[in-house]
Amino acid sequence: MISLSAYQPNFKRELSRKHLKAGIWLDGTFDWVTDESSSYLGGEVRTLVQSFTKRQVTFYKFTIQNSSKAKLIPKVMFQYQDLLERQTVAFYSPSEKAILHVGQASVALVGGLMNGNGIAQYCIQGKKHLYQNGCFKSLNEGILSFSPLAKGEVISMFSLEAPIMPQDSVEAIAWVISSATQEEAKFINDSLLAEGPNLNIL
């Protein structure tokens, strides 16, 4: 498993992906995923990452295939930065089960589902603070620092988590909803969450 820095990731992303990037924590190790398909644990775990946009929503579909004989509990980490609105207020909304980045001219709502479960952990920090301390409280255990609010040049990170049985697979789906208002973004987010494990984005 190639080890990449969990504290100073490469933020270069295409605008079409709304500055959302993914990484995987597995068995005490974290990697940012830079290729569409990758393998881990000697090839026993494979991942496939797909990204596409439907109207105001950019989806990031992260599929994990467990070919091993053991139950695994991976943590799929997603990180978001709004490069178009440099000054924003970002916070976690318990009612929406999502993170909102509110700028002067736009709103970005970031959320997701994995086996019907929403965001498990989240960390919202100013960019300078992130570089100094990182979002991980414990990289070895895959635990993020608890930080529910930040403003300025903000980066948010969250996890989607679910066990995978041997010879099985699971999908983590994250999304970025771009809107002019919080009300519209929340309406779209509610409709996605309502689908639960039946969410089909194709």
Side-chain angles (χ1 to χ4, degrees):
M1 195 171 186
I2 300 173
S3 179
L4 301 177
S5 172
Y7 295 94
Q8 296 189 28
N10 178 8
F11 291 104
K12 187 177 181 181
R13 291 282 90 184
E14 302 94 328
L15 289 179
S16 62
R17 292 194 175 186
K18 299 295 189 296
H19 324 298
L20 188 69
K21 64 182 299 182
I24 182 170
W25 179 93
L26 185 63
D27 197 25
T29 305
F30 176 79
D31 283 327
W32 291 112
V33 177
T34 57
D35 298 320
E36 183 178 5
S37 61
S38 303
S39 62
Y40 306 88
L41 300 182
E44 292 189 329
V45 175
R46 299 190 63 84
T47 61
L48 176 65
V49 181
Q50 299 166 290
S51 176
F52 50 93
T53 300
K54 286 185 177 181
R55 296 182 181 178
Q56 296 167 264
V57 186
T58 294
F59 292 99
Y60 210 121
K61 183 179 178 182
F62 195 108
T63 305
I64 307 173
Q65 173 71 47
N66 178 16
S67 299
S68 73
K69 297 180 180 179
K71 175 183 175 182
L72 300 176
I73 306 179
K75 301 179 182 183
V76 183
M77 304 287 185
F78 291 94
Q79 182 173 280
Y80 175 79
Q81 179 185 10
D82 192 336
L83 298 179
L84 300 179
E85 290 260 15
R86 293 289 184 172
Q87 297 297 314
T88 63
V89 175
F91 58 93
Y92 177 77
S93 171
S95 61
E96 299 304 321
K97 301 177 182 178
I99 298 170
L100 284 92
H101 288 245
V102 182
Q104 292 185 349
S106 65
V107 174
L109 186 151
V110 189
L113 288 170
M114 186 172 182
N115 269 8
N117 299 317
I119 292 175
Q121 304 181 68
Y122 55 88
C123 174
I124 305 168
Q125 293 187 352
K127 188 175 179 180
K128 292 182 180 179
H129 186 60
L130 178 75
Y131 283 152
Q132 181 179 355
N133 299 321
C135 255
F136 280 97
K137 180 178 181 180
S138 172
L139 183 59
N140 186 56
E141 297 179 9
I143 298 176
L144 299 180
S145 297
F146 178 72
S147 180
L149 172 69
K151 63 180 180 179
E153 289 191 69
V154 178
I155 292 172
S156 61
M157 188 171 182
F158 66 92
S159 71
L160 299 176
E161 305 175 16
I164 310 177
M165 301 305 292
Q167 308 300 316
D168 201 359
S169 63
V170 68
E171 292 180 351
I173 300 175
W175 54 76
V176 179
I177 301 169
S178 301
S179 175
T181 67
Q182 293 188 46
E183 291 73 20
E184 183 181 39
K186 290 177 179 179
F187 177 81
I188 298 172
N189 184 64
D190 288 344
S191 66
L192 294 173
L193 290 176
E195 294 293 328
N198 298 317
L199 177 63
N200 184 359
I201 59 176
L202 297 178

